[in-house]
Amino acid sequence: MGIRKLGHYSIRTGDLEASRRFYTEVLGMKEGFRPPFRFPGIWLYLGGDEGDFGVVHIIGIDRDDPQALKDYLGDKEEAALTGSGAVDHVAFLATDLAGMRARLAARGAPFTERTVPSLGLYQLFVADPSGVTVELNYPHDEAHALGLA
């Protein structure tokens, strides 16, 4: 099996600063490196997890320019972003990119692929039967070997 462990969970929010304060001041997480995405957000770390890209990703909504977020993760109505509706996706660190692409294709499961800017991390996004987005993160060298990156 290629999935190694849970990577992070992501939350979309209309109030990035309130989320920042909660996760850093209340829960004690540390804000850290975040790739240069074209939409606002923060990545939060527990300490010692820098190599795993953080444990919580907060995705901010830029009301003046929401298109970059829509292009990258798709559109969600801000009014629906409460409770578990605010959970944008669940991410796993994984291996065997070729095998997963083959399994998804064999089942006719639509998926999207992209590379995280400045990290070289290769991602597959697929929806589960309930519509929850599952992000699978693969090492750059696997994608490169397949001519994808």
Side-chain angles (χ1 to χ4, degrees), residues 57-143:
H57 295 178
I58 306 296
I59 301 166
I61 298 168
D62 182 347
R63 290 179 183 90
D64 295 326
D65 183 15
Q67 194 59 47
L69 176 57
K70 289 177 185 178
D71 290 345
Y72 197 79
L73 292 176
D75 196 13
K76 289 189 177 184
E77 292 295 323
E78 190 172 347
L81 301 181
T82 61
S84 61
V87 175
D88 188 82
H89 62 270
V90 177
F92 293 92
L93 302 181
T95 58
D96 191 19
L97 174 59
M100 181 57 71
R101 291 176 89 239
R103 284 194 302 278
L104 292 170
R107 288 166 178 75
F111 60 93
T112 58
E113 303 173 89
R114 61 181 61 94
T115 299
V116 177
S118 80
L119 291 183
L121 193 66
Y122 197 78
Q123 302 176 312
L124 294 181
F125 289 85
V126 62
D128 80 356
S130 297
V132 175
T133 300
V134 177
E135 172 186 316
L136 302 172
N137 291 284
Y138 294 90
H140 177 266
D141 60 338
E142 284 195 46

